[in-house]
């Protein structure tokens, strides 16, 4: 190539670059706003997304079938003390559950759905401790004919450190016996904070625990330091792209192109409330009725809520009420803000219309 032609090309490029910089400031800005977009209802958008026809089904099926040949290797890794971390494009929920249902039938399997918005990690540890305790009682009964072991402290009164210490005790007679924890999306919104990741890392290092987890965010490894990755989690990484849609995981995330729907918010809150005890629902109803009858107030004072619940025999003590409020806050049904006089007030982050629909739903 002629040297002059190269010089001309470089000159033309640099000239266009500086011309673009010169006229950049004089260009007219657009008046369009995000709020001007005509958004569709969320249910309509989800229905349209569900009706998208999958492509390359045979190839994807063949790919997933090839992963099944690795199941025995995965079980061997777990028995050797490693934990499994699945990464790659596509939902890995069905793949991991298929592995658990076919290859981990001899072990207790515990599932954590990390794609949920809020998870109570202490309740997870309590449930795991109870599973392990039941296993130990059954084994002692088989060996000695007596299942009793006196003086066992209730797990719900123990601290997180005590629960982890119990799970890490070398009290399982068989080395290959363990509880397998399946964590769908260990990088999910309910698990990705630093404190929860530290607890999960300590849990994964317990002698009677093995973890099979999936990740989907490209920056997930930034959640862990070197000790967590190599010593506590002790990951075996497996690249298992499935190209499967995130149907279940995506149900719990708001769609960007969807219009906020009052009825949808009420239905979502109703589903959460239906999983709580009738007493907890009654306490929530007291707060909702107060908020509807006092629309100009900043919320219901905690003392007023306790007095009302005590009159209606819904809470015998402040401790009982606090346990209900903790559950509400964990599920983001109730929030707290400071009143102008300095006291804490409780409010439900829903519009009056949505709150009325919610009361109809739970009634």
């Amino acid at each position: 190539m002629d040297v002059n032609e190269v010089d001309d090309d470089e000159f033309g490029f640099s000239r266009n670059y500086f011309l673009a910089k010169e006229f950049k400031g004089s260009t007219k800005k657009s008046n369009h706003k995000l709020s001007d977009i005509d958004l569709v209802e969320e249910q309509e958008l989800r229905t349209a997304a569900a009706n998208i026809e999958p492509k390359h089904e045979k190839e994807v099926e063949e790919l997933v079938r090839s992963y099944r040949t690795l199941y025995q290797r995965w079980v061997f890794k777990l028995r050797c003390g490693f934990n499994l971390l699945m990464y790659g494009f596509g939902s890995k929920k069905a793949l991991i559950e298929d592995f658990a249902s076919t290859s981990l039938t001899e072990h207790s399997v515990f599932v954590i759905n990390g794609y949920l918005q809020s998870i109570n990690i202490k309740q997870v540890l309590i449930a795991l401790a109870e599973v392990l305790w039941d296993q130990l009682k059954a084994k002692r009964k088989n060996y000695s004919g007596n299942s009793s072991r006196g003086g066992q402290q209730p797990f719900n009164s123990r601290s997180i450190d005590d629960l982890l210490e119990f799970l890490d005790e070398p009290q399982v007679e068989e080395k290959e016996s363990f509880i397998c924890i399946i964590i769908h999306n260990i990088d999910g919104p309910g698990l990705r904070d630093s404190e929860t990741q530290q607890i999960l890392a300590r849990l994964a290092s317990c002698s009677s625990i093995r973890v099979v987890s999936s990740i989907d965010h490209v920056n997930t490894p930034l959640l862990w330091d070197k000790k967590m990755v190599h010593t506590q989690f002790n990951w075996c990484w497996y690249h298992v792209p499935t190209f499967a849609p995130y149907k279940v995981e995506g149900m719990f995330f708001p769609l960007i192109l969807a219009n906020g729907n009052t009825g949808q918010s009420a239905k979502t809150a109703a589903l959460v409330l239906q999983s709580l005890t009738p007493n907890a629902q009654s306490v929530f109803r007291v707060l909702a009725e107060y908020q509807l009858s006092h629309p100009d107030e900043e919320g219901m004072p905690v003392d007023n809520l306790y007095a009302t619940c005590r009159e209606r025999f819904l809470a015998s003590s402040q401790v009982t009420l606090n346990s209900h409020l903790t559950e509400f806050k964990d599920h983001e049904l109730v929030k707290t803000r400071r009143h102008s006089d300095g006291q804490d007030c409780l409010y439900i982050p829903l519009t009056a219309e949505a709150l009325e629909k919610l009361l109809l739903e739970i009634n």
Side-chain angles (χ1 to χ4, degrees):
M1 183 181 291
D2 190 356
V3 177
N4 293 330
E5 292 181 3
V6 175
D7 293 340
D8 291 342
D9 289 341
E10 291 181 354
F11 175 74
F13 174 78
S14 59
R15 182 173 180 274
N16 291 335
Y17 173 80
F18 286 108
L19 284 175
K21 286 290 185 181
E22 181 181 351
F23 291 109
K24 182 179 179 181
S26 61
T27 54
K28 186 178 180 181
K29 294 183 179 180
S30 173
N31 293 324
H32 297 299
K33 300 177 182 178
L34 189 62
S35 58
D36 296 334
I37 302 176
D38 187 16
L39 301 177
V40 299
E41 294 297 330
E42 182 174 358
Q43 189 59 41
E44 182 181 349
L45 190 57
R46 291 192 183 277
T47 303
N51 292 330
I52 296 176
E53 294 184 5
K55 296 182 179 180
H56 311 292
E57 291 182 85
K58 292 183 179 179
E59 291 80 1
V60 170
E61 185 179 348
E62 182 65 29
L63 182 65
V64 175
R65 191 181 297 116
S66 69
Y67 298 148
R68 295 194 180 103
T69 62
L70 302 174
Y71 284 2
Q72 292 306 313
R73 182 183 301 178
W74 294 351
V75 173
F76 177 73
K77 293 286 188 180
L78 292 173
R79 287 176 176 170
C80 290
F82 294 97
N83 298 304
L84 309 181
L85 185 65
M86 312 297 181
Y87 69 99
F89 183 81
S91 173
K92 291 157 284 294
K93 186 174 187 296
L95 174 66
I96 294 176
E97 290 179 351
D98 180 66
F99 165 63
S101 62
T102 57
S103 302
L104 297 176
T105 53
E106 298 179 359
H107 305 276
S108 298
V109 177
F110 193 90
V111 180
I112 301 175
N113 294 319
Y115 49 77
L116 297 178
Q117 298 291 335
S118 59
I119 297 174
N120 190 326
I121 192 64
K122 184 175 181 180
Q123 292 299 323
V124 170
L125 297 179
I126 291 172
L128 283 169
E130 290 174 348
V131 170
L132 180 59
W133 178 244
D134 289 341
Q135 285 186 358
L136 295 174
K137 283 199 301 184
K139 288 187 177 181
R140 289 186 177 88
K141 185 176 182 180
N142 292 334
Y143 293 147
S144 62
N146 184 7
S147 62
S148 63
R149 181 185 176 187
Q152 179 62 27
Q153 181 184 359
F155 291 112
N156 55 9
S157 63
R158 293 192 177 191
S159 66
I160 289 179
D161 290 334
D162 289 340
L163 291 168
L164 289 169
E165 184 179 351
F166 171 76
L167 292 169
D168 197 27
E169 289 178 4
Q171 48 193 336
V172 179
E173 289 80 358
E174 301 175 15
K175 293 183 179 179
E176 293 185 353
S177 178
F178 53 81
I179 299 174
C180 184
I181 305 176
I182 292 176
I183 308 179
H184 296 301
N185 300 94
I186 196 172
D187 53 352
L191 298 175
R192 65 172 62 133
D193 61 282
S194 177
E195 182 181 359
T196 302
Q197 288 294 323
Q198 291 285 350
I199 295 173
L200 290 174
R202 292 174 60 189
L203 177 63
S205 65
C206 292
S207 58
S208 56
I209 299 295
R210 299 293 184 274
V211 175
V212 179
S213 181
S214 66
I215 60 173
D216 284 290
H217 200 287
V218 67
N219 292 325
T220 297
L222 298 177
L223 295 173
W224 310 315
D225 56 30
K226 188 175 181 180
K227 177 186 176 183
M228 294 169 69
V229 172
H230 298 294
T231 305
Q232 294 179 306
F233 279 123
N234 199 17
W235 291 127
C236 273
W237 299 67
Y238 284 97
H239 184 225
V240 286
T242 63
F243 302 97
Y246 296 92
K247 289 184 178 179
V248 178
E249 299 92 328
M251 287 177 60
F252 300 93
F253 288 88
L255 299 179
I256 296 175
L257 297 178
N259 188 16
N261 191 318
T262 299
Q264 191 70 18
S265 301
K267 288 181 179 178
T268 304
L271 288 173
V272 175
L273 281 171
Q274 286 170 6
S275 66
L276 304 180
T277 63
N279 221 35
Q281 294 178 17
S282 299
V283 173
F284 183 86
R285 189 180 291 108
V286 170
L287 182 59
E289 290 172 351
Y290 182 91
Q291 185 165 316
L292 288 173
S293 59
H294 301 79
D296 297 330
E297 294 189 12
E298 296 173 330
M300 185 176 189
V302 178
D303 294 340
N304 292 6
L305 178 62
Y306 174 61
T308 305
C309 291
R310 186 161 183 146
E311 289 175 2
R312 300 183 185 183
F313 302 101
L314 299 176
S316 57
S317 65
Q318 187 71 46
V319 175
T320 305
L321 179 63
N322 288 340
S323 65
H324 292 317
L325 294 179
T326 300
E327 207 160 15
F328 295 154
K329 292 174 183 176
D330 287 343
H331 292 90
E332 298 184 351
L333 292 173
V334 172
K335 293 187 178 181
T336 307
R337 59 186 167 198
R338 189 60 59 89
H339 196 271
S340 55
D341 60 1
Q343 61 179 332
D344 290 332
C345 291
L346 302 167
Y347 73 99
I348 302 169
L350 291 174
T351 62
E353 181 185 357
L355 205 51
E356 290 173 355
K357 289 184 178 181
L358 177 57
L359 289 177
L360 291 175
E361 288 276 348
I362 62 176
N363 285 333

